[in-house]
Amino acid sequence: MKIRVVSSRDEILSLNPNEKVIHLAFRPSNKDIFLLVETCPKLEIVQLPSSYQRTMSKSMEMFLEMQKIQLIEGDVWGHRKDINEYYTVPSSVMNKIRNMKVDGIPNDKIAEKMSKESKLNQKMILYILNKKYIFAGVLRSFSSW
């Protein structure tokens, strides 16, 4: 899974309209949030560092909620924007999540355990768990039987 990292408001207009998960590495204004939602109509998650999220207005939180866009606190640890504009959740993390799900472990337990191991927020892990691509590799391996 890829998370598009946006490090300045100047990048918003150049975003792909199909982006679903975005990490804002700057403190967004209300205008920036409106522009982001307009530029990316398929947006599902906006992730902000905790210090930025605490300063976000309640009206913007309500606006995102009305648009059915989750606001998640978190960071993209160790990501270098100068090398790649996307942070990719490591395949080892995705495999662990998938294996725990296949083993029948409840989603909240998976999110709790994997957030400690991967430094991803529990809400981001729950988002991954609810997406169909978590089982894409599993389905392919069963079809070869």
Side-chain angles (χ1 to χ4, degrees), residues 98-113:
R98 185 179 299 116
N99 291 337
M100 292 171 79
K101 183 72 173 174
V102 169
D103 289 343
I105 298 172
N107 287 358
D108 58 333
K109 297 293 183 193
I110 295 172
E112 183 180 331
K113 179 175 174 42

Side-chain angles (χ1 to χ4, degrees), residues 59-76:
S59 60
M60 275 302 101
E61 289 179 21
M62 287 175 38
F63 170 72
L64 289 173
E65 188 178 321
M66 288 171 32
Q67 301 298 316
K68 299 192 179 0
I69 298 171
Q70 292 182 55
L71 181 61
I72 293 180
E73 179 182 310
D75 216 330
V76 286

Side-chain angles (χ1 to χ4, degrees), residues 4-9 11 22-28 46-49 51-52 74-76 79 81:
R4 177 62 159 88
V5 179
V6 180
S7 53
S8 76
R9 58 187 37 97
E11 293 178 48
I22 290 182
H23 173 84
L24 295 178
F26 67 95
R27 190 178 311 275
V46 173
Q47 183 183 47
L48 289 172
S51 59
Y52 295 170
D75 216 330
V76 286
H79 177 71
K81 178 75 189 286

Side-chain angles (χ1 to χ4, degrees), residues 33-90:
I33 297 294
F34 283 127
L35 186 59
L36 180 64
V37 171
E38 184 180 324
T39 304
C40 303
K42 296 181 179 182
L43 192 61
E44 296 177 0
I45 289 189
V46 173
Q47 183 183 47
L48 289 172
S50 59
S51 59
Y52 295 170
Q53 187 168 350
R54 283 192 297 259
T55 63
M56 181 169 265
S57 71
K58 294 293 179 199
S59 60
M60 275 302 101
E61 289 179 21
M62 287 175 38
F63 170 72
L64 289 173
E65 188 178 321
M66 288 171 32
Q67 301 298 316
K68 299 192 179 0
I69 298 171
Q70 292 182 55
L71 181 61
I72 293 180
E73 179 182 310
D75 216 330
V76 286
W77 297 97
H79 177 71
R80 292 206 30 208
K81 178 75 189 286
D82 59 331
I83 295 174
N84 192 345
E85 59 192 16
Y86 288 92
Y87 170 80
T88 304
V89 177

